Amino acid sequence: MGEDLSYADLWDEILTEYSHRVEDKTVRVSCKNDETTSEFGDELWPGAIFLAKYIVANNQNLAINSNTQVVEIGAGRCGLPGLTAAALGARVTLCDLNENLASLHFNAKVNPGSARVQALRWAADIDVQGLENADFVLGTDVVYRENLVAPLICTLRRLRPKRLILANEERSKNQRRFAQTLSAVGFHINNEFTQNKIHVIDAIPAESWSMDFDASMPVKLLRHTSSVDQDSHGGDGLGGQVWPGAVALAEFVLPYCHGKRVLELGAGTGYCGLCVSLVANHVIMTDQFLDLLAHNVAKSNFSNVTIRYCLWNDDYIYDKTDFFDVILGAELTPMIDGHEALAKEILRRFMQSSKTSSSSRAFLTAAPCSSSLSSSDSSTFTKDTITCRCATHHFIKTAIQTGLSVNHCHTNIPIPANILNLDRTFDDGLDFVWILELGLSLSFSLEQNA
């Protein structure tokens, strides 16, 4: 492991300057900038010093040389690990937000080797041209905040490195759990260890890993991060928990939401909408009780999510120019007295969207009925053929009477037994749910356009 650093050496005081030997060269960095300040980049973090020394001590195995391409993400103002690799001969790109680039340029200029600087904002839709398929992606203290985990994972998948080495100061068990997150989204963990309170992850893409759209990735990601808080006493006492239908819906609906504008009704904790936001163009999550939803959305820090107050079919003020490709609702149908208002709200949103989107549809989870129907039976649903009096069939009948069509009834959609970090096991005695796929009734649409 090379020279052993104590935790006190790493973090007893705030460091803004540092130097160390790299073979016959000296790498010297400074974070000082009298003109601007940066939330994270003004200091040299413990993980950066550790990783820089780790690279030097282990380069016989890493084999970093003039044929090696290295990208450092979240390089701050110093870029110490990346500049260490540059001193070993690698072609290095130091990446961070625009506010840190001037200092990175300075440090790259005064140090040995070849290093360039490039702005990189972590997100699902970033342009990583020129950074893909690097031999190494390096990162230090990149999971300092949990709300950075999702955009970081999306960025790493787009970068497609041949090898990933991260060094993070241990602040909570959540940071150790980041290795589980990487495994869930397609990385193989080569090595994982903790030394002097620095947690190191050395990973490569799994053999079967593909950058093609993976519908399960966002759900796996939220399963392995604590992105959603719950409060069983919040709101009306119902929307404060992640319900089985929300998890099943999130897994099922992702392929339909890729690049789309999505509206979620009765969003509750926001679990389903946050999953969808990782693939959608924009998600608007609505509820009558917004405190917990607002907290979870703020915690996620996703830029393509909006929350709004919504009381179904109420004459509240809303943007009548909004359109939605997909409408979602998880476990909204158990209360029969809310069926008419819910159906009319969906109808109103369909009519609102029909001016700009001809293929709007809604997906709602519902409890399975004992008089089970196959998916093909949904085409025969009419208000006259439904005789069962369960809540699900009552809603289907109400929806048809309102002007909606049931295009499909997806049965036997499995419910996961447990979701990591949600402190919630689904032991309601159900193994699956139904998902109702709704559209605007053709006859109703023709009546409105007549």
Side-chain angles (χ1 to χ4, degrees):
M1 293 301 299
E3 182 182 347
D4 198 17
L5 284 176
S6 70
Y7 185 72
D9 291 332
L10 292 175
W11 201 236
D12 244 10
E13 59 181 348
I14 293 176
L15 293 176
T16 59
E17 295 181 335
Y18 184 79
S19 65
H20 75 138
R21 295 290 292 174
V22 181
E23 295 182 339
D24 60 343
K25 307 176 185 70
T26 298
V27 172
R28 182 176 288 107
V29 296
S30 172
C31 301
K32 291 181 178 179
N33 188 322
D34 296 332
E35 296 180 1
T36 62
T37 59
S38 168
E39 182 178 6
F40 302 116
D42 286 346
E43 303 165 11
L44 191 61
W45 290 68
I49 298 175
F50 186 94
L51 184 54
K53 289 188 170 290
Y54 176 83
I55 290 170
V56 175
N58 291 274
N59 197 41
Q60 185 173 353
N61 294 323
L62 298 176
I64 294 175
N65 54 47
S66 59
N67 295 317
T68 307
Q69 182 186 0
V70 175
V71 174
E72 183 182 357
I73 58 173
R77 290 182 168 173
C78 294
L80 178 61
L83 291 174
T84 298
L88 291 167
R91 292 168 286 113
V92 175
T93 304
L94 305 173
C95 300
D96 210 290
L97 299 175
N98 284 315
E99 63 200 42
N100 292 324
L101 297 191
S103 293
L104 276 178
H105 274 295
F106 172 80
N107 284 311
K109 183 178 180 180
V110 301
N111 278 289
S114 172
R116 67 186 187 97
V117 173
Q118 182 171 329
L120 181 66
R121 177 184 61 87
W122 301 346
D125 58 349
I126 56 167
D127 180 6
V128 296
Q129 187 172 359
L131 302 176
E132 315 100 308
N133 301 309
D135 296 293
F136 290 89
V137 165
L138 308 176
T140 61
D141 289 290
V142 289
V143 288
Y144 176 73
R145 284 187 171 176
E146 289 182 13
N147 63 4
L148 298 177
V149 170
L152 172 60
I153 288 291
C154 291
T155 301
L156 290 174
R157 284 178 59 88
R158 294 186 71 83
L159 289 172
R160 292 178 287 180
K162 296 173 184 174
R163 191 166 178 180
L164 171 69
I165 303 180
L166 304 177
N168 299 294
E169 180 198 356
E170 276 205 317
R171 297 178 180 84
S172 71
K173 64 180 180 180
N174 295 332
Q175 289 174 307
R176 280 202 179 191
R177 199 162 58 214
F178 188 67
Q180 293 177 305
T181 306
L182 287 171
S183 296
V185 299
F187 286 88
H188 172 73
I189 308 301
N190 272 338
N191 191 17
E192 181 184 6
F193 64 90
T194 300
Q195 183 175 332
N196 300 323
K197 297 187 180 180
I198 303 297
H199 183 228
V200 177
I201 301 171
D202 185 343
I204 61 172
E207 289 183 9
S208 60
W209 188 41
S210 169
M211 275 306 298
D212 294 337
F213 172 62
D214 177 3
S216 66
M217 189 274 287
V219 176
K220 291 177 181 176
L221 176 56
L222 278 185
R223 285 188 186 182
H224 286 80
T225 59
S226 52
S227 296
V228 176
D229 289 335
Q230 301 181 95
D231 179 7
S232 60
H233 302 292
D236 59 355
L238 298 175
Q241 297 185 63
V242 177
W243 293 96
V247 181
L249 183 61
E251 297 219 16
F252 177 86
V253 82
L254 282 165
Y256 300 95
C257 296
H258 199 217
K260 304 296 186 180
R261 286 183 58 84
V262 179
L263 171 71
E264 183 179 11
L265 300 174
T269 64
Y271 178 91
C272 183
L274 287 173
C275 280
V276 167
S277 71
L278 291 171
V279 300
N281 175 277
H282 194 88
V283 177
I284 294 180
M285 291 192 278
T286 65
D287 205 290
Q288 184 180 357
F289 304 98
L290 297 180
D291 288 354
L292 183 59
L293 178 60
H295 165 79
N296 283 325
V297 170
K299 181 180 175 184
S300 74
N301 200 32
F302 295 162
S303 60
N304 63 334
V305 174
T306 305
I307 64 170
R308 290 181 185 166
Y309 172 83
C310 176
L311 185 61
W312 299 338
N313 201 39
D314 189 46
D315 192 23
Y316 60 89
I317 298 174
Y318 66 98
D319 188 350
K320 294 181 173 61
T321 64
D322 259 344
F323 71 92
F324 304 100
D325 304 295
V326 179
I327 298 173
L328 304 177
E331 304 213 22
L332 305 181
T333 61
M335 309 295 286
I336 289 178
D337 57 2
H339 285 178
E340 183 178 357
L342 174 59
K344 288 183 177 178
E345 182 67 27
I346 295 172
L347 178 66
R348 174 162 67 176
R349 298 297 188 162
F350 275 162
M351 295 302 296
Q352 178 182 339
S353 301
S354 64
K355 302 170 185 176
T356 53
S357 178
S358 59
S359 58
S360 296
R361 49 184 157 181
F363 296 89
L364 273 67
T365 55
C369 175
S370 57
S371 58
S372 297
L373 297 168
S374 68
S375 299
S376 59
D377 290 328
S378 59
S379 61
T380 66
F381 282 157
T382 69
K383 62 179 182 294
D384 299 319
T385 59
I386 298 173
T387 58
C388 180
R389 295 188 178 184
C390 72
T392 296
H393 280 95
H394 183 277
F395 174 76
I396 291 173
K397 188 171 185 177
T398 302
I400 293 171
Q401 290 172 331
T402 303
L404 302 175
S405 64
V406 182
N407 298 334
H408 217 69
C409 178
H410 303 273
T411 60
N412 299 324
I413 305 302
I415 297 173
N418 181 46
I419 299 298
L420 187 65
N421 304 330
L422 286 179
D423 190 27
R424 175 107 164 85
T425 56
F426 301 141
D427 53 0
D428 303 336
L430 295 177
D431 296 322
F432 58 90
V433 294
W434 284 5
I435 293 182
L436 307 177
E437 183 177 339
L438 308 177
L440 185 62
S441 168
L442 178 60
S443 59
F444 184 87
S445 179
L446 292 173
E447 288 174 13
Q448 296 299 305
N449 293 325

